[in-house]
Amino acid sequence: MREIACAEISQTVARLCQEANYYLGEDVVTALRLGLAAEESPLGREVLKQLLDNAEIAGSEQVPLCQDTGLTVLFLDLGQDIHIVDGDLGEALAEGVRRGYGEGYLRKSLVWPPIFGRKNTQDNTPPVVHTEVVPGDRLTITVLPKGAGSENMSRLFMLTPSDGVAGVKRAVLKAVDEAGPNPCPPIIVGVGIGGTAEHVGYLAKRALLREIGRPSADPRLAELEAELLAEIRDLGIGPAGFGGRMTALAVHVEMAPCHIASLPVGVNIQCHSARHKTAVL
Amino acid sequence: MRVEAPISNEVAAGLRAGDAVWIHGIIYVARDAAHKRLVDALGRGEALPFDPLGAVIYYMGPSPAKPGQPIGSAGPTTSYRMDPYTPTLLAQGVKGLIGKGSRSEVVKKALCEHQAVYFAAVGGAAALIAKTVQESEIIAYPDLGAEAVLRLKVAGFPAIVVNDAQGGDLYEAARKEWARK
C-alpha cells in the first residue's frame, strides 16, 4: 500500500490551478494557429490573432488567460493501492483550490446557496470532484477551471433509440447553433453518448480533456467527430461570433453503454480558453 | 475608429454594426448582481452611482489585480443575463454597452429607441484587454467583490459594434454571410 500525504495533494492542486489559468495548452495554441491560417473572414482572423496575443501575455506575465477563472473541476484517477494519509482527501483538494486561487490572483467565482441569496464563498471552494478508482498505485489529478459562459450553453438531450446517429448529430448542432456567439467561439465540443442522464454529462466533460487534434480511437466516432466539426463550421458563427469558419476547433465524442430504451446525449461546450493541467503522483 | 467615452448622441447614432472601435475615456463596470441593485435603486427613486448621460457600461468581473497592476484580467462576460435590466438603464441616458453574445429583441428595440449602441469585446482576450485599462476604482457595492461597480479609465479598448441604433446586427449579418448550406 503506497502512502500519499494530503499536504502533497493540496500543493499539487494549488500549482495546477495556477498553471491551468496562466498557460494555454500547446494543443490549443497549435489549433488556434491552424485556425488563423484557415480562417477566411477578416474579422475572424483578427479575433484569432488577439487570442494568440492574449495567450502570449498571460503566459509571460503569469496572469489569467480569462478573468473567469472558473469553477474548479477536478478529475482524480485514484489507484486502488494508494492510502491517503495525514488528513481528509476532500479537504485536501479544497485547500489546494483555496491556496491556488488565493495566492495566484485568480477570481473567486462561486456562490452558495445557488438560490435564496447567492453569497460568494470567497475562496472558490468547493471544487466539483470526479473520482475514478483505477488499478495501480498512482494518483492522477487533472484540474479543469470551467468558465460559465460556455458551461451555460451546455445541453442534455434524452433521445430515444430510433433517433440514432442522425438524432445525435441534430442534437449537437442544435446546441452549438443556439449557443451562437455566447460561449466564446472557437469552441471545443465535448459530446457524451450513452450511460444515464448524469453519467452522460460526465462523459461530455471528460471528452474535453483529450488533446485537441487527436481523433477518437474508435474509427466510427472519429468519422462522426469529423462530420460534426465540418457541419459546425458550416454554421458560419465564426471566432467570437463575428462570422467565419472557425466556430469550433474540435469535436470530441465519448460513448458508454446505455439502457435498451435510452439514448442520452450530453453536449459540454468549452470556450477557446480550454484550460486543463494534469499531474501524476 | 476612435470613440470617446462618455459617448455623444451624434457618435452613438453614427456607429454601424461591424465597425471596429477603440474606446478612450471613462467607462463603468457592472454585471449581474450590480445590475439588479442599479435598477432596484432607480425603482426606489434613488440616483445611480454614476452619471448615466452618455455612459458606457462594461459587463465584466475582473480577476484580482497583482501588485502594481491597475486591474487583473478583464474580458467581457456574456450579455444576455443583463437583458432584463438594460432598457431601464438606456432610458436613463446610457449610450453604450460592452459585453459579448446576443441580446434580446427587447434590448435591440430599446437601442433603436434610445439611439444607443451594443459593442462586443473579444471574450477570453482578458489579459490583452487589461492592458488598455489605465485606472480602476470601485465606486459602488464593494461588498459584491468581483461584481462591484467600477470606474475605469481606458485607452484604446478594442471592441466591435454588434447592434447599432438603426437596428443593424453584426451577429445576424455574419451568420447570413458565412453560413454554408
Side-chain angles (χ1 to χ4, degrees), chain B residues 6-18:
Chain B
I7 297 184
S8 69
N9 293 348
E10 294 69 35
V11 168
L15 290 168
R16 291 292 176 270

Side-chain angles (χ1 to χ4, degrees), chain B residues 45-96:
Chain B
E46 295 167 16
L48 293 175
F50 55 87
D51 181 358
L53 286 182
V56 176
I57 297 179
Y58 181 25
Y59 306 145
M60 194 273 288
S63 63
K66 280 184 159 181
Q69 286 184 319
I71 200 162
S73 294
T77 193
T78 320
S79 305
Y80 70 90
R81 299 189 311 271
M82 271 51 80
D83 284 353
Y85 308 106
T86 300
T88 307
L89 294 171
L90 292 175
Q92 294 292 311
V94 169
K95 281 287 167 195

Side-chain angles (χ1 to χ4, degrees), chain B residues 24-27 132-137 151-155:
Chain B
H24 294 255
I26 300 300
I27 65 176
T132 69
V133 177
Q134 297 177 319
E135 294 169 19
S136 167
E137 181 196 355
R151 177 184 182 276
L152 302 186
K153 186 176 175 208
V154 297

